[in-house]
Amino acid sequence: MLFWIEKISLVVLVFCVTLVIAMYATLAERKFAAFFQDRIGPDRAGPFGLLQPLADGIKFFFKEEFIPANADRFLFVLGPCLSMIAACMTTAVIPWGHDIVIFGQTMALQIADLNVGVLYLAGVVSLGVYGIMIGGWASNNKYSVLSAIRASSQMISYELAMGLALIALVMHTGSLSLREIVQAQHGGHWNVFFQPLGFLLFLICSFAEANRVPFDLAECETELVGGYHTEYSSMKLGFYLFAEYINMFIASAVMSALYFGGYHFPGLYHIGLSDNSAALVGVGVFFLKIAAFMFFFIWIRWTLPRFRYDQLMRLGWKILLPLAIANMIFTGFLSLLLG
Amino acid sequence: MVTLFLVLSLLTVLSALCVVFTRNLIYSVLSLIVCFFAIAGHYVLLKASFLAVIQVIVYAGAIMVLFLFMLMLMNLNKKAEASKPFSLKVVAVGVCLLVLVALVSIVFLSAPRVCFAPLAPVSGSVSALGPLLFNEYAIPFELTSILFLSAVAGVVMIGSYGKKAKKQ
């Protein structure tokens, strides 16, 4: 019973935190975009525009819900739902912090410690494309279908390099459980120092999987109107846009956990905190790392132009994939020689 | 456990029937994805979490995306559906029935050897599978990889052949 209460409260908490962070990521994006373009950005709703995401949400709910006449109604609704579900599912395996002891009960700050956690990540990422594909096809719009096709071929191309980068990481740490991977990085042994190329590959592929600039060809507005969500309005459009920010948050969390030590920071055990407060500080540090990565996502979006489609495919298949294979072979040889 | 098994089995069978009986090809592919998920659920119930995740990554995540991709490119609808001659339909039904007989007979003939009880959690984990694959089943494993390699080579050949023909 206690187990279920613990897990359910953790699920609800993680879900709420994810949504709130995704909400404020939209504000952060607009504020930073304004900064990079020497503007002021949204500042009308609340102090410093802090209520802007709420205003956006209310607006989404009150917009007319429109389904095109020749659209497949069921799939049209299913598309944004799948996008949202796939985006939220990844949070289940991310270790947010050390165990916390409350009233003599040890509580793990991770929803599920799967022994195949890394593979679960890869699996959920590969499902993320269905929302875009189904929504794009169901809209019965040429631009949307083109976007859906672009999105799926892009996802498949970059998944390969991402998977191979993950395999090299797993060879280095010797575990598929995210919790064990994070724990192996304590004391400054962050994986990014041992797998620099792997991290770079993973970072690039995360941009592609999250459909962010410079890889946002699926919603390239200069060519495809709005891409897969051209026909969407109201909260269904909101779901698609929201899923993008959740994906960005999750990608940042995964990168911090896999390569940047997760909730560890140098000197964690030397400042003399009690276990519980050290764990809480660790959670804070983890979120700082996530925030840094999210800033990086935003920074790239407002400074780099978009790829052309053939450039995107060439980068994926002719540069990233061979590099990932070389990285994997090199890691294998090294761990044979040293291990 | 038993209720989960029943729900998953019902889902598997229903979605499999849906694959065959629905006229819309996109729905057919989507129900096949649901079917694969239900099968992955069965693997989880049998404590084979590695197999379950691989099932989702490979079938639901990669192969079915390609299927959907192809269907979207072809833009099939009811009008474009080719009507097949009656004799071909009879042959198709006959072949399917033969496959059914073969599958059912496998289940009945090998009944004593099939184990329905959930195995120990360790047996399905990666650390148990790895040594098994690379020691006991090393030769079949390597043979499979050669098979895959030849498939890759074939795909590259077919792809480059089309390019050459275009240039000429």
Side-chain angles (χ1 to χ4, degrees), chain A residues 69-272:
Chain A
N70 286 323
D72 190 311
R73 294 183 75 88
F74 174 66
L75 294 183
F76 192 77
V77 178
L78 186 70
C81 301
L82 278 181
S83 253
M84 199 69 176
I85 292 171
C88 290
M89 264 166 74
T90 329
T91 49
V93 291
I94 292 171
W96 303 99
H98 265 296
D99 293 352
I100 283 185
V101 181
I102 303 171
F103 309 122
Q105 294 283 333
T106 311
M107 182 172 167
L109 290 182
Q110 183 184 20
I111 294 169
D113 182 20
L114 298 182
N115 58 5
V116 287
V118 173
L119 289 175
Y120 174 89
L121 276 182
V124 175
V125 162
S126 65
L127 295 180
V129 71
Y130 279 118
I132 295 177
M133 285 187 88
I134 290 172
W137 183 82
S139 303
N140 197 21
N141 175 325
K142 286 191 187 69
Y143 295 117
S144 302
V145 173
L146 274 178
S147 156
I149 289 170
R150 275 185 177 188
S152 54
S153 49
Q154 174 182 328
M155 287 275 186
I156 290 179
S157 312
Y158 281 80
E159 239 165 51
L160 285 174
M162 187 184 224
L164 289 174
L166 278 178
I167 286 177
L169 179 80
V170 169
M171 281 160 96
H172 170 67
T173 54
S175 169
L176 283 168
S177 148
L178 263 87
R179 187 171 197 75
E180 280 170 29
I181 289 177
V182 171
Q183 271 165 358
Q185 297 180 69
H186 77 93
H189 295 289
W190 292 359
N191 283 334
V192 64
F193 302 129
F194 303 101
Q195 284 285 328
L197 182 60
F199 167 67
L200 191 66
L201 293 170
F202 193 85
L203 180 74
I204 296 171
C205 294
S206 312
F207 272 81
E209 299 287 332
N211 262 321
R212 292 283 297 186
V213 175
F215 298 98
D216 69 334
L217 283 127
E219 48 175 304
C220 174
E221 65 274 5
T222 43
E223 296 166 20
L224 296 177
V225 192
Y228 57 92
H229 54 56
T230 304
E231 300 287 353
Y232 281 87
S233 59
S234 180
M235 205 53 202
K236 291 205 285 297
L237 173 67
F239 264 29
Y240 270 131
L241 301 183
F242 223 59
E244 179 187 329
Y245 286 94
I246 295 178
N247 276 330
M248 199 169 100
F249 168 61
I250 297 300
S252 306
V254 169
M255 277 188 285
S256 328
L258 289 181
Y259 289 98
F260 279 80
Y263 45 78
H264 292 291
F265 63 95
L268 175 61
Y269 302 103
H270 302 295
I271 43 179

Side-chain angles (χ1 to χ4, degrees), chain B residues 20-138:
Chain B
V20 183
F21 286 114
T22 178
R23 304 289 289 182
N24 189 330
L25 281 174
I26 298 277
Y27 278 89
S28 177
V29 167
L30 292 179
S31 24
L32 194 55
I33 295 168
V34 174
C35 184
F36 285 148
F37 264 95
I39 292 173
H42 280 297
Y43 290 147
V44 171
L45 279 189
L46 290 168
K47 308 265 193 240
S49 50
F50 178 71
L51 206 56
V53 176
I54 291 297
Q55 164 93 5
V56 169
I57 293 178
V58 174
Y59 287 99
I63 292 181
M64 295 324 284
V65 172
L66 285 178
F67 255 91
L68 215 54
F69 182 83
M70 240 157 51
L71 287 180
M72 283 176 182
L73 277 180
M74 291 199 291
N75 195 21
L76 293 172
N77 48 27
K78 268 174 203 153
K79 280 176 209 157
E81 201 176 307
S83 59
K84 308 238 166 32
F86 184 73
S87 54
L88 205 64
K89 284 181 186 167
V90 173
V91 173
V93 169
V95 170
C96 288
L97 280 178
L98 275 180
V99 172
L100 180 72
V101 169
L103 286 177
V104 170
S105 58
I106 286 173
V107 170
F108 278 101
L109 292 178
S110 65
R113 269 179 282 163
V114 176
C115 169
F116 286 105
L119 305 161
V122 191
S123 63
S125 74
V126 189
S127 46
L129 270 177
L132 210 61
L133 268 185
F134 285 101
N135 292 324
E136 204 170 324
Y137 297 102

Side-chain angles (χ1 to χ4, degrees), chain A residues 260-321:
Chain A
F260 279 80
Y263 45 78
H264 292 291
F265 63 95
L268 175 61
Y269 302 103
H270 302 295
I271 43 179
L273 290 170
S274 70
D275 281 355
N276 271 358
S277 38
L280 287 179
V281 171
V283 174
V285 167
F286 187 46
F287 275 93
L288 271 183
K289 288 174 185 171
I290 294 173
F293 271 114
M294 288 177 82
F295 171 70
F296 188 67
F297 269 95
I298 293 169
W299 187 16
I300 293 282
R301 171 158 182 185
W302 297 101
T303 42
L304 285 189
R306 184 181 283 135
F307 282 121
R308 226 171 43 223
Y309 201 69
D310 59 320
Q311 290 173 329
L312 173 102
M313 281 295 146
R314 202 171 62 222
L315 177 71
W317 288 99
K318 294 194 175 165
I319 301 174
L320 293 186
L321 191 64

